[in-house]
Amino acid sequence: MFDVAEDCLAVGGVRLDRLADRVGTTPFFAYDRRLITARVAYLRSVLPKDVKLSYAIKANPMPAVVQHLAGLVDSFDVASAFEMKTALDTVVPSSSISFAGPGKTAIELAQAVAAGVTIEMESESEASRIIEAGNRLGIRPRVALRVNPNFQVKGSGMKMGGGPQQFGVDAEEVPSLLEKLASADLDFLGFHVFAGSQNLHSDILCEALSRNVELLLDLSGKYGHSVRYLNLGGGFGIPYFEKDRSLDLVPVGKRLTELVENTIRPLLPGAKIVIELGRYLVGESGVYVTRVVDRKVSRGRVYLVVDGGLHHQLAASGNFGQVIRRNYPIVIGNKMNSIEREIVSVVGCLCTPLDLLGDNVSLPPADVGDLVVVFQAGAYGLTASPTAFLGHPMPPEVLV
Ligand SMILES: *Cc1c(COP(=O)(O)O)cnc(C)c1O
């Protein structure tokens, strides 16, 4: 949780009004270093010691955040050549970087082979492009196979496995593909499965982990060689909306411990077992800070018009994959102790009705100059937003 200093929200121990002066402008994103550190420590305390923790950089690729996490996690997952560059700039060794995602170009694949990262192959034709790149560069590519499971994970905000998918190789096709690749010049490490994201249900995550392990061990058995890498995915969610309950990680940790000790280790004593997380590591550590530019009343409704909007924080406007628009948690950052309340709509500065950050929210009465803060902005914020829309400047990001 963020600190409150007197009446003001604080990030990394710095009051937001002071931080706004330090940054020199609003709007901006601020990430709390201590909250990220605490989150990783909590995960380590719950997950089995034998499991490696990977950070999926696409959740928040700010270089300072990635550098900070480099000292905390075991590995990075990247989804583009640019993210790979950010990861390679850290102390994390290239052998602990995995590159997943559909549509990797021949150039990106060659970059990945040259870097020595593990490429998570998403299709047979991608495998052939990797082999080509390896031959051309005279380097044996390190690869794993991303598997599209033959089941779906319910309760995920985003489904990325089961049924037809652009992600991974269908589980039933995996044995024949591995047979075809047996003579190829590839250093085959093992398997990856990532079937869904933003899941808040520990029972469903436990079930998904069990089924993922069962599937990957079955494929390992059919492969017949010693598999050295099992990436079990993640999908741990964070609460965005009023009705959301935080994920109870304890049963997930327990199940994973059982699976590792009783199921995986007897068959694969030396394999690297990985859990790969994005938003769970960083999402709750970030705020998007805007300033009220105008306060107006239209036919009885109070509008706070702020200097930010969906061009920076698309998800909070409800336009990033939500079916029904709901409000992200929002506060007046410099009036944290006020008990007075009014119902207002917080809108951004873009000329579109889509630019809504808070619809009929109960907030302390605010005026021009006050700071409106949107929580849960540490993941899929700035880089998941249409920043060029309307041509406003890019907001700064700070890690405090
Ligand atoms: C996006 C992604 C993640 C991270 O998802 P979160 O919901 O942020 O945890 C992990 N692995 C892969 C392969 C991804 O594409």
Side-chain angles (χ1 to χ4, degrees), residues 306 308-312 347-355 386 389-392:
V306 300
L310 71 77
H311 52 314
H312 301 156
V347 296
C349 59
L350 300 192
C351 202
T352 160
L354 296 177
D355 197 5
F389 190 38
L390 272 83
H392 291 284

Side-chain angles (χ1 to χ4, degrees), residues 56 58 77 100 146 160 192 194 197-198 276-279 380:
K58 85 168 187 279
D77 177 68
R146 179 165 178 182
M160 296 169 75
H192 173 219
F194 182 82
S197 187
Q198 181 49 23
E276 178 180 271
L277 302 171
R279 76 187 75 214
Y380 307 107

Side-chain angles (χ1 to χ4, degrees), residues 92-356:
V92 169
S94 58
S95 58
S96 295
I97 296 171
S98 54
F99 189 171
K104 302 182 201 78
T105 66
I107 293 173
E108 285 179 309
L109 291 169
Q111 287 177 273
V113 172
V117 308
T118 302
I119 303 171
E120 296 185 323
M121 303 187 291
E122 305 265 350
S123 73
E124 181 172 352
S125 76
E126 185 172 283
S128 63
R129 282 190 293 279
I130 295 168
I131 295 165
E132 242 172 65
N135 286 340
R136 195 154 42 79
L137 300 174
I139 302 168
R140 195 150 193 253
R142 294 164 57 86
V143 296
L145 193 62
R146 179 165 178 182
V147 180
N148 174 26
N150 44 358
F151 54 85
Q152 274 207 336
V153 182
K154 293 206 171 61
S156 290
M158 250 181 242
K159 289 186 179 57
M160 296 169 75
Q165 288 291 342
Q166 73 263 51
F167 308 106
V169 174
D170 295 343
E172 58 278 18
E173 307 290 337
V174 168
S176 65
L177 176 57
L178 287 179
E179 218 164 281
K180 280 190 214 165
L181 296 178
S183 58
D185 209 359
L186 290 174
D187 186 10
F188 180 74
L189 303 177
F191 298 104
H192 173 219
V193 58
F194 182 82
S197 187
Q198 181 49 23
N199 204 317
L200 290 171
H201 311 282
S202 52
D203 51 336
I204 297 173
L205 283 170
C206 286
E207 175 71 14
L209 278 171
S210 296
R211 297 190 73 176
N212 286 345
V213 167
E214 186 188 356
L215 171 65
L216 296 191
L217 288 180
D218 177 55
L219 294 174
S220 301
K222 289 187 176 129
Y223 176 63
H225 297 80
S226 57
V227 162
R228 287 173 282 154
Y229 175 78
L230 283 188
N231 185 334
L232 301 176
F236 301 1
I238 61 172
Y240 287 105
F241 309 116
E242 213 170 6
K243 284 193 190 129
D244 286 349
R245 299 275 301 275
S246 289
L247 169 64
D248 181 5
L249 204 61
V250 174
V252 179
K254 254 181 83 178
R255 175 68 65 95
L256 194 56
T257 304
E258 289 163 11
L259 286 167
V260 170
E261 287 175 3
N262 305 334
T263 313
I264 302 177
R265 282 303 171 222
L267 288 167
L268 300 172
K272 188 173 183 175
I273 306 167
V274 178
I275 289 287
E276 178 180 271
L277 302 171
R279 76 187 75 214
Y280 192 80
L281 293 176
V282 291
E284 291 175 89
S285 74
V287 286
Y288 176 52
V289 183
T290 66
R291 202 182 285 280
V292 179
V293 174
D294 197 6
R295 176 191 168 98
K296 57 187 281 187
V297 181
S298 168
R299 305 207 162 110
R301 182 178 294 200
V302 179
Y303 286 90
L304 299 179
V305 186
V306 300
D307 56 4
L310 71 77
H311 52 314
H312 301 156
Q313 185 49 8
L314 183 67
S317 76
N319 295 294
F320 190 60
Q322 292 97 316
V323 179
I324 301 167
R325 194 199 169 284
R326 287 177 291 178
N327 293 317
Y328 272 42
I330 192 167
V331 294
I332 306 298
N334 57 317
K335 291 188 170 164
M336 293 299 287
N337 293 338
S338 170
I339 40 174
E340 239 185 296
R341 285 286 181 279
E342 63 174 359
I343 301 294
V344 297
S345 285
V346 178
V347 296
C349 59
L350 300 192
C351 202
T352 160
L354 296 177
D355 197 5
L356 182 61

